[in-house]
Amino acid sequence: MLKTQSTSLPNVNPKLIVSDQAKTNMGGCVSFYTAQLLLIFLAVSSSVVNCCPPSERAALLAFKAALHEPYLGIFNSWTGNDCCHNWYGVSCDQETHRVADINLRGESEDPIFQRAHRTGYMTGYISPAVCKLTRLSSLTLADWKGITGEIPRCISSIPFLRILDLIGNKLSGDIPRDIGRLHRLAVLNIADNNISGAIPPSIANLSSLMHLDLRNNRISGPIPGSVGRLRMMSRALLSRNQISGTIPSSISMIYRLADLDLSMNQISGMIPASLGKMAVLATLNLDFNKLSGPIPASLMNSGISNLNLSRNMLEGKIPDVFGPRSYFTAIDLAYNKLSGSIPRTLSAASYIGHLDFSHNYLCGRIPDGSPFDHLEASSFAYNKCLCGKPLRAC
């Protein structure tokens, strides 16, 4: 009798024995689920990449925590993980998703102000945490009226900063000493605050600066002599401070300067004649200072159309050099120590709008014809011995 030899399987778990067909089916499932997981991963990764970095979100929240805005609720939208979308006043770079702009204005036509029927009011201080936003291009925290404290010293370490606009608050302290490190800065506006101290010499290193507004503060000391290095600047507004010293002649090297306002300070010395030779200077306000000496003839036959030298200690005669290039929407020489007669060449000027020669020591007959025939008596009042229309007859 033949015996059938039995063949036994090795010691294998039956659950691991899978047919070829099953393997094929399983391979399809694995591929399907792998693809799904990959899509989910890519979606999550994409949403993470499109968000601002957590460190910058934290910096913004620290910036917010130092401020208190009770009426408009502008910080109510600063919630969630993504500070690049729907955070009021915050903008990010579209490629890097780094915070690029903080634009918070207390006076705006934005609907949030129209609904509240009021302007903004904010207290608190500017947190140094803002300096952690190293790709920040503009920081505008303007016209909130109640923000105090100093400008953070670290502000000069934000390498890409182009706009620093802090007008209309109650900031104190001085301008950061190394502000000149901000080589990309085009706008520096800290007007209408309580800033004190001197203008730091490093400000002359702001090679991209176009707009400088320091008006209505408590800034003292002289204007740095190296200010002429600011070759890109078109507006320099420094009025209503306590600035002393003389007007640096280097200012005339700023060939793009169109508007220079140094009024209501304590500036002394003579007016540099080179100011009248500047190519595009249109407005020159030097009133309410302690300037002395004669009026440079170059100012009267230049491109300056708005000239205010009133309330100084200028003396000598008014330069008799007016001509076709003289075009004045306003010329104010009142409250000085000017003597002599009114220049006859004034009639050769292309245009004279407002004119004020009052409160001086002028004498003689007021010339006939234009522009004198449309001027009022107040333009010539309180002089030594002027006569003729519109004053009394000679």
Side-chain angles (χ1 to χ4, degrees):
M1 178 179 239
L2 295 175
K3 294 183 180 180
T4 305
Q5 186 175 4
S6 63
T7 305
S8 61
L9 291 170
N11 186 20
V12 176
N13 187 340
K15 294 181 179 179
L16 297 178
I17 302 173
V18 182
S19 67
D20 290 342
Q21 182 63 39
K23 287 179 181 179
T24 301
N25 293 339
M26 182 176 286
C29 290
V30 169
S31 298
F32 174 75
Y33 286 120
T34 301
Q36 278 197 323
L37 288 171
L38 182 59
L39 288 173
I40 293 172
F41 173 77
L42 289 174
V44 171
S45 298
S46 176
S47 77
V48 171
V49 169
N50 288 332
C51 289
C52 66
S55 61
E56 299 206 347
R57 176 181 177 274
L60 284 172
L61 291 178
F63 173 79
K64 167 190 170 183
L67 299 167
H68 177 59
E69 191 282 298
Y71 301 113
L72 302 173
I74 65 166
F75 290 125
N76 291 348
S77 63
W78 287 33
T79 59
N81 292 326
D82 187 8
C83 60
C84 288
H85 294 91
N86 300 321
W87 282 38
Y88 183 87
V90 177
S91 302
C92 296
D93 185 275
Q94 292 184 355
E95 294 182 0
T96 65
H97 304 286
R98 304 282 297 276
V99 176
D101 304 294
I102 299 175
N103 186 4
L104 301 174
R105 293 188 178 276
E107 295 180 2
S108 170
E109 296 181 359
D110 190 280
I112 195 171
F113 293 87
Q114 295 178 359
R115 288 193 297 267
H117 301 290
R118 61 166 299 140
T119 59
Y121 181 77
M122 191 185 297
T123 57
Y125 64 96
I126 303 173
S127 170
V130 74
C131 303
K132 295 180 180 179
L133 303 172
T134 56
R135 301 293 296 191
L136 197 65
S137 174
S138 69
L139 173 59
T140 298
L141 193 62
D143 296 315
W144 291 102
K145 307 171 187 70
I147 298 175
T148 57
E150 298 187 356
I151 301 171
R153 306 293 97 180
C154 62
I155 208 82
S156 56
S157 67
I158 305 177
F160 296 93
L161 196 62
R162 296 189 66 253
I163 298 174
L164 181 60
D165 188 352
L166 306 176
I167 186 175
N169 290 291
K170 291 183 179 179
L171 298 172
S172 57
D174 54 7
I175 301 170
R177 182 176 301 178
D178 54 353
I179 191 77
R181 293 173 58 190
L182 298 173
H183 298 300
R184 291 179 173 86
L185 195 68
V187 175
L188 176 58
N189 188 351
I190 55 174
D192 300 332
N193 279 284
N194 295 320
I195 302 295
S196 58
I199 301 172
S202 74
I203 203 167
N205 296 329
L206 298 175
S207 55
S208 300
L209 193 66
M210 300 172 66
H211 180 98
L212 175 64
D213 193 346
L214 310 180
R215 290 175 296 174
N216 197 24
N217 279 286
R218 300 176 181 176
I219 297 169
S220 58
I223 300 171
S226 55
V227 70
R229 290 162 53 190
L230 299 174
R231 301 298 175 85
M232 300 295 289
M233 189 162 60
S234 61
R235 300 189 77 197
L237 311 177
L238 284 71
S239 63
R240 291 180 303 219
N241 279 287
Q242 300 166 20
I243 297 171
S244 57
T246 59
I247 301 174
S249 59
S250 66
I251 286 181
S252 60
M253 298 170 62
I254 309 175
Y255 61 90
R256 296 191 181 191
L257 191 63
D259 189 350
L260 177 61
D261 189 351
L262 304 179
S263 61
M264 301 185 189
N265 280 288
Q266 299 174 18
I267 299 172
S268 58
M270 298 174 65
I271 301 172
S274 55
L275 294 182
K277 301 175 183 178
M278 297 179 67
V280 297
L281 187 64
T283 298
L284 179 61
N285 291 330
L286 303 178
D287 48 301
F288 283 92
N289 277 289
K290 298 178 180 179
L291 296 167
S292 58
I295 297 175
S298 58
L299 298 183
M300 300 305 174
N301 194 14
S302 67
I304 298 172
S305 60
N306 191 337
L307 178 65
N308 193 340
L309 307 180
S310 66
R311 297 180 185 271
N312 280 284
M313 296 181 289
L314 300 172
E315 54 192 2
K317 296 181 178 181
I318 301 174
D320 197 2
V321 294
F322 293 85
R325 197 178 176 213
S326 305
Y327 185 102
F328 289 99
T329 56
I331 177 170
D332 192 344
L333 309 181
Y335 290 94
N336 278 288
K337 298 179 179 180
L338 300 172
S339 57
S341 60
I342 292 177
R344 292 189 175 277
T345 54
L346 258 175
S347 59
S350 295
Y351 177 76
I352 300 289
H354 172 78
L355 179 147
D356 193 349
F357 288 173
S358 66
H359 296 271
N360 279 287
Y361 299 107
L362 300 174
C363 199
R365 178 186 291 275
I366 298 173
D368 297 326
S370 178
F372 306 101
D373 52 7
H374 75 266
L375 297 174
E376 298 181 359
S378 58
S379 297
F380 306 101
Y382 299 101
N383 275 283
K384 186 177 181 181
C385 53
L386 283 178
C387 61
K389 290 184 178 181
L391 299 180
R392 61 178 176 81
C394 294

